[in-house]
Amino acid sequence: MNTTLFRKLVPVALLGLGFTTACQPDIEDQYPVSKGSADFTRYISVGNSLTAGYSDGGLYLEGQLSSYPNLLAGQFKQAGGGDFNQPLFTEAQSNGSGYLRLVGIVNGSPVTASVTSNLAVRSASPLLYTRYDGPVNNLGVPGIRLADIQTPGYGSTQGNPYFERITPTASATQTYFQRVKAEAATATFFTNWLGNNDVLGYATTGGASTAAASTITNTDTFRLKYNRIVNVLTANGAKGVLATIPDVTTIPFFTTVGPSFKATLQSKQVPGLIVMSGSAAGGAPGYTNRKPITTADIKDAAGTGRQLFTLTAAPFLPLVGTPTGRPWRYIYGQSGQPAIGFPLFLAAYGIDTTKVFGVTNENPIPSAFILDDSEQNAIRTALTSFNTTIRNKAAEKGLALFDANTFFTVVSGGGIVTNNINNTSAYITGNLFSLDGVHPTPRGYAIVANEMIKAINATYGASVPFVNAGNYRGVRFPQ
Amino acid sequence: MNLKTLLLAGGALLSGTAASAGGYQVTLAGIKNNGMGGVGVGLSLDQAAMFYNPGALAMVRERGVQLGGNLTFARNAFVAEGSTTQRELRNSISTPFGLFASFGPAEGKFRAGIAVYTPFGSTLKYAEGWEGRTALTDIDLKSIYVQPTFSYALTEQLSVGVGVTVLAYGAVNLQKDIALPDSYGHIELDGKAKTKVGYNAGVFFKPSSKLSVGISYRSKIDAQVEDGDVTFTGIGAAFASSFKATKFGATLPLPATTSLGLGIMPTEKLTIGADINYVNWSAYRNLEFAFNDVVGPSNFSTSKRYYQDAFTFRLGGQYKVTDKFTARVGGAYDNSPVKNGYVTPETPDADRFSGTVGASYAVNEHFSVDLSTQFVTFQKRSQSQQDLINNQTTDRIAGTYKTNIVIPGLGLNYNF
């Protein structure tokens, strides 16, 4: 090549190379963040275990960090939101209350074990957790029902250890309502997802208990208290989100065991079962609380049938057809009564453990293992009323509504795809529900946060960015 | 520089990228043509006519060899739906190339030639941990056609030509992450395509010294991979039983292209060309992989593409400034074959505009050098999760893509 060539062609080449560095497209402003008519300066969250970030049957640090309020607050921060304080367990006590972990899968069945190290237990009896005395924005209290919000001493004398740890010692009998009222005075935005436990406790115990936490809250009581707490939350002009209550009968706690149990019974040509229903003893001679159900009536994966078996029933259902007292020893053990009372318990309920389990009046399937159709109807009636109350209140106050009931119905129908990952309500493999079959995984909470953001954006004309759900895990497997 | 060194230089240039035409087609053959918006079907510039219109080869007086190489600098931005985070590619350079040699008697009516070029390709490496990681993390798609060509001048004004297009080399390397309940694993598919044969034919008509027209057709070839390798990494023991495949098979259509071109030579110094390309992209319906064992729930995967046929419009010209120096300019508009809601990370395609410049310098009677640069800008393209749900294409990612590409090219010509 000669110099003329260089002089004439090199500038053309340099022009080309020069543009290559400048050609990176920039679409960063594709989603201009806006708070719309909302104000995220001080966000508080009101609710129960779901709001606290409870997962895998316990409250622990990782779950707290991926609670939907914490994820929301992280997104709000991009739209002018302030700091969000949670009553976090420390790193040293990061396992909090303890929780379930998956140990392995044996013959297709999951095996779980409790995590008992690095707990934040400061007293075993009464059970108390390490206190948290800092400022709190996440007021989620595991176990709380709407019915409980005005119970004095709910944390202390009534003994909810999660409320106890955040209740100021100077006002130990403060009610949840009083606490919320105090926090709401300075809040600009809130989420409220109370009410699940007003049916959930009844459902997970199969309608078998008369304990207050295991009954369905009176619908009038629910309406009265729901209106009261939302009035307090909005008294200062704060805007927010109300969430409805999902149909608890679609969660893996109730949908995992039945289908395979039904298949087993069908293959053994067992036409039906005898189960107990409700909380009454109903023993001999009339066996008034015994209820025959047909095998065909057990709900399967296709949605055929009505009767639901709980996750807790799983270890005992293979015993159907053999004379055994094991299910009853388990049920009685749950009561915490001294072992000496077991024979009296059996007598009161008319149980004869020498008889064949599951198909006789003398040895039926315990009520706690099954949520039968009549119990489901009671739940459905209450849920409809509760959710009407919530929807009406949102409309009355012009608040955003996360219709969790509708959302989880869609999820249990076919699942929800996020970033090419399918998430369903299948136990363990569905990504959304944790090992307790009731509470979401971090992925599940991220998706819930996004659904709330959708509602916020729609109602308040905001553009809050979404959480990348793909960054959060489903069920953790043993390594 | 002699023929041998030119051929050796060609060996170093083995790659392609979705650069200058819709989908994963690459219209980068002939650095002169590149400088003129990629026109060439209605022109008889040089040996690269074998690519654009084999019918024109007989009208190319010079016999010789031409080697052209391009560097594609693709820059892509992606923002997931409802996200404020922009993702950018891990930048890579690919090198589409063309080698064209023609032979024949100086005054005879025919020309024979051989062409080697890269008609289809795509090279993209996405950012670590990007939102679409389970759809794609890396793709490297290559194809090399070898095309023996024969062209014959029926009259002084009309010539025809035909070439046998041999898919001499085709390779695909496709990688993505696998969503496990608590982590991400990774899968790599790597395979070579079987050798396949198609054809390229054209007619060239030059009724006057100021006008020429051409039409050409390049047939479809199905690039078919059998016994490609499947490699998993990062799959925990708990999930190993769900990911056992070791081999895969897949077919990717390299679609037929029909082109119509016009050349206008108002003066001796000025040449203007205009082309229309029509690509039968609708041949690409689904991307299907068959595995010899399970990959997740199944040993088969299918993903909707549903491409539509697409046009490209090109316009360009050259001006002979001096006997030794020629300047070129051009532009093109590519109509994307990818329908709304069907955009995949492999081909984050959109309608494109290209601007090109180029120049040639004749060192002496036998040897000349060509330079070209193309600037390709894709229109910003968005698809929402709702679009994907409506199309049942949720195996890809909702969000907005934008791509720019700059392609400098260098060509060396030796005539004898």
Side-chain angles (χ1 to χ4, degrees), chain A residues 169-479:
Chain A
T169 40
S171 49
T173 58
Q174 188 183 45
T175 66
Y176 187 75
F177 182 79
Q178 288 167 332
R179 178 63 182 271
V180 169
K181 188 175 181 180
E183 300 286 350
T186 54
T188 61
F189 197 84
F190 65 88
T191 55
N192 176 18
W193 198 2
L194 277 169
N196 310 67
N197 288 332
D198 295 80
V199 287
L200 188 65
Y202 175 82
T204 55
T205 54
S209 171
T210 52
S214 304
T215 54
I216 297 177
T217 300
N218 177 288
T219 54
D220 290 332
T221 306
F222 189 96
R223 187 165 55 248
L224 181 79
K225 296 203 173 182
Y226 198 85
N227 286 334
R228 207 170 266 174
I229 198 157
V230 174
N231 289 342
V232 157
L233 285 165
T234 53
N236 191 38
K239 296 191 162 76
V241 184
L242 304 183
T244 60
I245 304 163
D247 181 351
V248 294
T249 61
T250 64
I251 62 180
F253 188 83
F254 294 109
T255 58
T256 304
V257 173
S260 58
F261 181 46
K262 181 176 186 173
T264 305
L265 292 178
Q266 283 172 333
S267 72
K268 291 183 177 171
Q269 296 185 318
V270 180
L273 304 167
I274 305 290
V275 304
M276 273 173 58
S277 178
S279 56
Y287 294 112
T288 49
N289 74 346
R290 305 305 200 259
K291 176 169 173 145
I293 64 166
T294 63
T295 298
D297 200 23
I298 297 171
K299 192 168 189 173
D300 56 27
T304 307
R306 299 172 299 172
Q307 315 301 334
L308 298 169
F309 285 87
T310 66
L311 209 51
T312 45
F316 304 102
L317 295 179
L319 301 174
V320 165
T322 52
T324 176
R326 266 183 60 201
W328 298 105
R329 280 196 296 279
Y330 168 79
I331 293 287
Y332 184 73
Q334 296 294 298
S335 71
Q337 301 294 312
I340 196 165
F342 185 53
L344 292 172
F345 165 79
L346 290 182
Y349 283 83
I351 309 296
D352 179 353
T353 60
T354 65
K355 293 290 191 297
V356 179
F357 175 61
V359 288
T360 57
N361 277 330
E362 293 85 352
N363 197 357
I365 291 174
S367 179
F369 289 164
I370 181 167
L371 192 68
D372 65 48
D373 55 303
S374 60
E375 291 158 348
Q376 291 172 46
N377 284 338
I379 289 172
R380 221 161 270 137
T381 304
L383 260 188
T384 303
S385 168
F386 294 172
N387 282 336
T388 300
T389 294
I390 295 169
R391 292 187 185 109
N392 287 346
K393 196 64 182 174
E396 177 203 324
K397 292 281 185 180
L399 297 170
L401 181 79
F402 163 45
D403 198 336
N405 187 283
T406 302
F407 174 70
F408 279 100
T409 301
V410 170
V411 163
S412 68
I416 177 171
V417 179
T418 56
N419 296 358
N420 177 29
I421 303 169
N422 199 25
N423 304 285
T424 70
S425 54
Y427 185 53
I428 295 192
T429 57
N431 288 329
L432 291 179
F433 285 94
S434 69
L435 290 169
D436 60 32
V438 176
H439 296 91
T441 57
R443 169 86 52 77
Y445 281 121
I447 290 171
V448 162
N450 283 342
E451 292 300 315
M452 289 203 175
I453 289 172
K454 278 186 199 167
I456 291 165
N457 287 349
T459 305
Y460 301 114
S463 296
V464 175
F466 294 110
V467 176
N468 181 0
N471 285 347
Y472 296 86
R473 67 166 174 90
V475 167
R476 177 165 284 145
F477 277 67
Q479 293 303 305

Side-chain angles (χ1 to χ4, degrees), chain B residues 380-397:
Chain B
K380 192 164 79 173
R381 192 160 203 194
S382 297
Q383 58 191 8
S384 66
Q385 188 68 21
Q386 195 56 51
D387 295 335
L388 300 182
I389 290 168
N390 294 345
N391 295 333
Q392 297 176 302
T393 51
T394 51
D395 59 353
R396 55 212 81 183
I397 172 90

Side-chain angles (χ1 to χ4, degrees), chain A residues 97-108:
Chain A
S97 67
Y99 58 94
L100 293 173
R101 69 187 174 88
L102 189 62
V103 186
I105 304 217
V106 178
N107 298 331

Side-chain angles (χ1 to χ4, degrees), chain B residues 24 29 42 51 62-63 86 92 116 124 150 183 188 219 226 230 244 270 275 293 320-321 342 357 365 404 406:
Chain B
Y24 44 89
F51 173 84
E62 300 86 1
R63 293 154 299 163
Q86 177 168 316
S92 62
V116 182
L124 294 164
F150 183 82
S183 60
E188 177 172 356
S219 70
E226 288 177 359
V230 180
K244 295 198 293 194
L270 181 64
D275 281 10
D293 205 331
K320 202 167 181 183
V321 182
Y342 288 84
V357 292
E365 199 183 329
N404 293 335
V406 177

